[in-house]
Amino acid sequence: MAAADDAEGDRLAELNDYIRRQMPAEPAQSSQWLALESSPEVLNAFGSRIGLPEGWEFVDVVALEEECLEWVPRPVAAVILLFPCTRRIYEARRAQHQALRSGRLSSREDLFFVKQVEDFGNACGTIACLHAIGNCRHVAEMAEGALLETFVREHSDATPEERGRDLLKAEALKGSSDAAATHPAAQTACPARDGPALDHHFAAFVLTPGGRLVELDGTRLAP
């Protein structure tokens, strides 16, 4: 596998290829997280377990026309986007990677950013939720002792890679994510834990304390 920071490659493509190459693991040995469905019910089931404050929820954005956006409750603190992993997407990401590497696009704010390391499997939806909720604490304050609040505080000085490695071992957060993935409100069958790459990816967009809209994607070099 190429290095994560290789400008010729793409971390998202590498992770999808990594998942495809893995032999199915025994359930007791698997460290991969179940994939979350792109639905408000499933995302809210996860959020409520990890510290999403009362009065806040995920809702559908059915279209980007102005009249459709008026249906979205206000205020809006973050958006989670699901998109297909196509050739054109990878081409655009490679160009953006070079800009991030040079520092031209990277955010200068102190944000909670987690790298999606290999053994997560199809966990990009979980990481997008963590990025969305974990970086909205200036407007949606989590309760003291909430699972995500505790993880954010304990890893305030860690690197994104260290956060990703430690998140793999955070059984309470993994259990909350898996419970949401198999929630009765899900409209599709939950993919197998060690199933193939799904060729779709989640990213979060957050309005930061500095008033900027920043993309957080665990397969990126930086926010």
Side-chain angles (χ1 to χ4, degrees):
M1 180 184 297
D5 294 345
D6 183 359
E8 296 301 316
D10 182 281
R11 181 64 171 167
L12 175 55
E14 292 167 359
L15 286 173
N16 280 335
D17 288 343
Y18 175 85
I19 293 171
R20 291 188 185 94
R21 289 197 302 268
Q22 301 311 297
M23 295 294 291
E26 293 296 327
Q29 297 174 337
S30 175
S31 62
Q32 299 195 15
W33 295 31
L34 293 174
L36 292 184
E37 179 183 271
S38 178
S39 73
E41 293 80 9
V42 170
L43 301 184
N44 285 323
F46 180 47
S48 65
R49 288 173 165 83
I50 65 172
L52 182 66
E54 186 176 351
W56 291 85
E57 63 178 352
F58 291 100
V59 299
D60 273 325
V61 178
V62 298
L64 297 179
E65 285 77 14
E66 185 174 350
E67 61 270 22
C68 295
L69 293 178
E70 291 177 357
W71 302 341
V72 179
R74 300 294 195 276
V76 176
V79 173
I80 290 178
L81 173 69
L82 176 67
F83 58 89
C85 301
T86 64
R87 179 180 58 80
R88 293 183 65 181
I89 288 288
Y90 287 136
E91 289 173 353
R93 284 171 58 92
R94 279 194 289 273
Q96 292 167 350
H97 176 87
Q98 300 234 25
L100 281 170
R101 198 172 190 178
S102 69
R104 287 185 287 117
L105 282 183
S106 57
S107 173
R108 298 289 187 267
E109 295 185 64
D110 183 19
L111 301 174
F112 174 67
F113 181 56
V114 178
K115 279 291 185 74
Q116 184 175 339
V117 299
E118 289 87 349
D119 289 337
F120 273 120
N122 292 307
C124 54
T126 299
I127 293 175
C129 282
L130 298 180
H131 281 151
I133 300 172
N135 286 290
C136 291
R137 295 156 65 235
H138 56 293
V139 293
E141 186 176 356
M142 286 186 283
E144 190 79 24
L147 288 177
L148 181 54
E149 177 71 17
T150 299
F151 188 86
V152 170
R153 291 188 180 187
E154 290 179 347
H155 294 80
S156 59
D157 296 326
T159 67
E161 182 80 18
E162 289 169 341
R163 291 170 185 158
R165 294 294 176 193
D166 286 349
L167 183 59
L168 273 178
K169 299 178 286 187
E171 291 299 327
L173 285 168
K174 181 178 181 180
S176 297
S177 179
D178 284 357
T182 55
H183 194 276
Q187 300 175 30
T188 57
C190 181
R193 189 178 301 277
D194 298 298
L198 300 179
D199 290 320
H200 283 70
H201 188 61
F202 285 93
F205 295 82
V206 176
L207 186 63
T208 69
R212 298 183 63 201
L213 183 64
V214 174
E215 178 187 5
L216 294 114
D217 178 341
T219 66
R220 296 275 198 183
L221 186 62

